[in-house]
Amino acid sequence: MAKQLGMVIDANACIDCKGCMVACKVANQVPGDNWRNWIKDGAMDRSAKSKKRMVFQPGNCMQCDKPTCVTACPTGATYKSKADGVVMINRDLCIGCGQCIKACPYGARYRNEKLKVADKCDFCSNRREVGLEPACVSTCPTKARAFGDLNDPSSPAGKLYAAQKEEAVQVVNAQSDTDPNIYYLGAPGDKHWPVKAQMPSAFTFWKNVADPGVKVLMGLMGVGVLAMLGKQLVMKNDAPEEHHGEDGHE
Amino acid sequence: MSSRQVPRHTRAGIFIHWFNAACWFFLLVTGVALISNPELNPLGAWYPKAVRAIFFGGENLLVAHWLVAFIWLAVWLVYLFWGMNRLVAPFINSIFTIEPNRDIQWMIKKNLQMTVGYKMMARLVKPLGYDGTMPDQGYYNVGQKLAAQGLIIGGLALVGTGFIMFTSKYFLTAADVWLVQWSITVHFIAAGVTTALLILHIYMAAISSEERPAFISMFTGTVPAEYAKHHHRLWYDELEDSKPSEVG
């Protein structure tokens, strides 16, 4: 099976300390108000009658198998890596149109205030290059986040995923299931993600109106030119009706 | 006297025409290759792949597109300021001047003549109360005028939206990106419309035998007087009227 980096997050272990958010911000030099990861506001878990407690749902880019952000990118600057399944951004090819930001249901993307291009979690590609785990995983004091190849049972995430496939859940919006690669164990709270993936209106207009419109126009122009070419080849001597006859020559 | 030539294009006009042609061709080839999305690819996934390989990567292709666009724009700005009174204003004035009665008739007849020939055209326009003769036209015929109008408006749209897209990475904030998103879509539409018009323009000039003298004049600057008289009678008459004062 192809390598697919992902996370298995034990929601029960999360204590909402926001350590992962701070570590990420430092490790990736995420500017100003931009954040690559989050801990969703806690909700009261009332499932166990005897013991009510808060539940937390940490998250970041889900490196989806059906990434709507990739679908929305006109230049191919954002793509799903074939090598490890991480959704990457080529900053030099990105033109900063922000359609991917709008298309992501999780709000995992932001416009980098400094670089002015789309940016997001890439599981700390800079740290992975030197053999380290993502900053949020390393820093988590309760080890709520397990990271690795989900298809490799010897990786920390793969091991958990293989062992608890039945209990592990994805948090998705039923109307736009992007098949994320972050799985939750324990009680992550609401399994229904409230935001539905939506393509930007400029993209939808391009796809549904502009693209077919331009094709029809090209087709009509092509037919017209071919008709004229055909006529030119068939009627070699197409002389106008005489009307300037009396003018004669100059 | 049948080979007498009359001047039609200035050297500056010929230069800007071919400079324009080269830039538009380059910008079209690279621009289409900047689209790489299975839902939007105009020619299929192979095209951006192939062109990006030639440029050693999509990021270089993007820079090349910007670079040529800015060179094109810079040369145009010089041309516009330098030739405003002598070349640009008369051109704009000419192509935006339309005389509906004469020109609608010409459009109907020309379209028919180019596809079914003079004889058939004469027969087809009879119910409209027209005879089989083409109404006289000026320096540009109305077909050329409409194409030029489309190209100018499309060109301005391309420049405007292109500039917005370029600025996105340097000046705009997250609140402005909707402008960039619509700029991409409008840029695509404008490129599509202008390319369609250019297909027609290239056919008329380079392939259609009738307009061969006009094609040659884009190199030599002159057309045969007979051609001018037949195709651009109103302009020809103007030329003839002003003949005595032509000396000096």
Side-chain angles (χ1 to χ4, degrees):
Chain A
M1 239 182 169
K3 189 175 177 184
Q4 175 60 62
L5 292 179
M7 282 185 183
V8 178
I9 299 177
D10 183 357
N12 287 354
C14 178
I15 54 170
D16 196 26
C17 73
K18 315 274 201 256
C20 50
M21 294 173 67
V22 175
C24 170
K25 211 162 165 58
V26 173
N28 296 295
Q29 294 159 10
V30 181
D33 291 333
N34 302 146
W35 297 90
R36 286 189 177 191
N37 56 7
W38 61 84
I39 297 175
K40 211 179 146 191
D41 279 345
M44 193 64 80
D45 177 18
R46 298 171 194 280
S47 58
K49 272 184 187 157
S50 55
K51 218 165 96 186
K52 293 177 179 52
R53 59 187 186 89
M54 295 293 286
V55 293
F56 303 105
Q57 192 187 92
N60 45 280
C61 172
M62 311 259 171
Q63 324 293 351
C64 304
D65 278 354
K66 288 178 260 171
T68 40
C69 54
V70 171
T71 310
C73 178
T75 67
T78 194
Y79 58 95
K80 192 166 169 73
S81 160
K82 285 196 177 82
D84 55 21
V86 174
V87 174
M88 302 294 288
I89 298 170
N90 179 344
R91 285 173 176 170
D92 292 324
L93 187 53
C94 174
I95 57 169
C97 74
Q99 310 210 67
C100 56
I101 297 170
K102 215 169 174 185
C104 173
Y106 297 102
R109 289 172 171 254
Y110 55 91
R111 183 178 168 89
N112 189 305
E113 285 170 16
K114 278 210 181 106
L115 304 170
K116 298 192 183 292
V117 291
D119 211 356
K120 70 169 195 71
C121 161
D122 58 2
F123 284 161
C124 286
S125 60
N126 51 348
R127 288 171 57 91
R128 284 191 284 125
E129 262 171 39
V130 292
L132 295 170
E133 287 193 305
C136 59
V137 177
S138 294
T139 209
C140 181
T142 59
K143 296 292 159 237
R145 291 165 178 265
F147 170 75
D149 181 2
L150 292 175
N151 297 323
D152 173 10
S154 68
S155 87
K159 200 159 132 193
L160 271 177
Y161 181 64
Q164 310 199 46
K165 229 172 206 162
E166 305 298 311
E167 296 98 279
V169 294
Q170 294 166 311
V171 174
V172 293
N173 182 294
Q175 286 171 288
S176 60
D177 187 352
T178 55
D179 202 357
N181 282 303
I182 290 187
Y183 289 85
Y184 292 91
L185 295 173
D190 198 354
K191 281 160 209 148
H192 170 76
W193 188 262
V195 184
K196 185 188 159 207
Q198 241 169 347
M199 288 295 132
S201 45
F203 179 92
T204 327
F205 185 83
W206 180 352
K207 190 185 148 193
N208 297 331
V209 183
D211 187 52
V214 165
K215 278 180 181 144
V216 166
L217 184 67
M218 290 288 178
L220 287 176
M221 199 53 92
V223 168
V225 165
L226 284 177
M228 289 191 283
L229 183 66
K231 179 253 166 190
Q232 184 185 328
L233 294 175
V234 173
M235 285 185 230
K236 287 228 162 62
N237 299 312
D238 180 32
E241 302 262 285
E242 287 163 39
H243 68 294
H244 287 307
E246 56 275 22
D247 287 1
H249 284 286
E250 257 256 46
Chain B
M1 287 295 275
S2 62
S3 64
R4 184 169 69 92
Q5 300 280 313
V6 292
R8 184 155 173 90
H9 300 296
T10 61
R11 276 206 192 148
I14 293 171
F15 164 76
I16 204 77
H17 174 267
W18 290 112
F19 173 75
N20 211 21
C23 290
W24 279 57
F25 179 74
F26 183 87
L27 290 170
L28 178 66
V29 167
T30 54
V32 173
L34 280 171
I35 306 168
S36 178
N37 182 315
E39 302 201 13
L40 304 173
N41 285 331
L43 302 170
W46 66 272
Y47 183 77
K49 221 178 191 177
V51 178
R52 286 167 188 212
I54 294 169
F55 282 84
F56 300 104
E59 50 276 22
N60 297 331
L61 181 73
L62 180 62
V63 173
H65 190 77
W66 282 344
L67 196 67
V68 172
F70 276 112
I71 293 170
W72 172 74
L73 193 60
V75 171
W76 257 108
L77 287 176
V78 171
Y79 181 83
L80 286 179
F81 281 105
W82 170 81
M84 182 50 80
N85 293 329
R86 219 159 46 82
L87 299 166
V88 181
F91 173 78
I92 299 289
N93 193 30
S94 165
I95 65 160
F96 281 96
T97 308
I98 278 175
E99 200 187 287
N101 276 340
R102 184 189 69 203
D103 291 343
I104 289 169
Q105 189 188 140
W106 187 92
M107 273 306 267
I108 295 170
K109 287 181 175 176
K110 191 68 184 171
N111 275 297
L112 287 170
Q113 179 258 314
M114 291 288 289
T115 45
V116 296
Y118 273 106
K119 273 197 187 132
M120 191 62 146
M121 179 271 281
R123 219 176 299 160
L124 287 171
V125 296
K126 232 174 220 158
L128 297 172
Y130 297 151
D131 62 7
T133 61
M134 298 299 298
D136 292 338
Q137 294 285 296
Y139 187 93
Y140 293 110
N141 65 49
V142 67
Q144 293 170 321
K145 285 177 183 176
L146 292 175
Q149 289 173 13
L151 287 169
I152 286 178
I153 294 165
L156 288 174
L158 285 165
V159 171
T161 52
F163 192 72
I164 292 171
M165 283 191 262
F166 172 79
T167 57
S168 176
K169 263 170 111 161
Y170 301 99
F171 306 111
L172 301 186
T173 65
D176 309 320
V177 291
W178 64 271
L179 204 61
V180 185
Q181 295 167 9
W182 279 103
S183 289
I184 304 172
T185 302
V186 173
H187 203 75
F188 172 77
I189 296 170
V193 171
T194 51
T195 303
L197 289 171
L198 288 172
I199 290 173
L200 185 68
H201 174 68
I202 290 166
Y203 171 81
M204 289 293 188
I207 301 168
S208 160
S209 51
E210 265 186 61
E211 294 287 329
R212 183 52 48 90
F215 181 59
I216 292 167
S217 79
M218 224 3 126
F219 299 96
T220 62
T222 61
V223 288
E226 268 304 305
Y227 168 87
K229 187 178 169 189
H230 180 71
H231 288 261
H232 304 279
R233 183 63 187 252
L234 302 176
W235 170 58
Y236 176 81
D237 289 346
E238 263 171 51
L239 275 182
E240 293 300 296
D241 288 348
S242 63
K243 221 175 186 179
S245 60
E246 214 176 71
V247 188

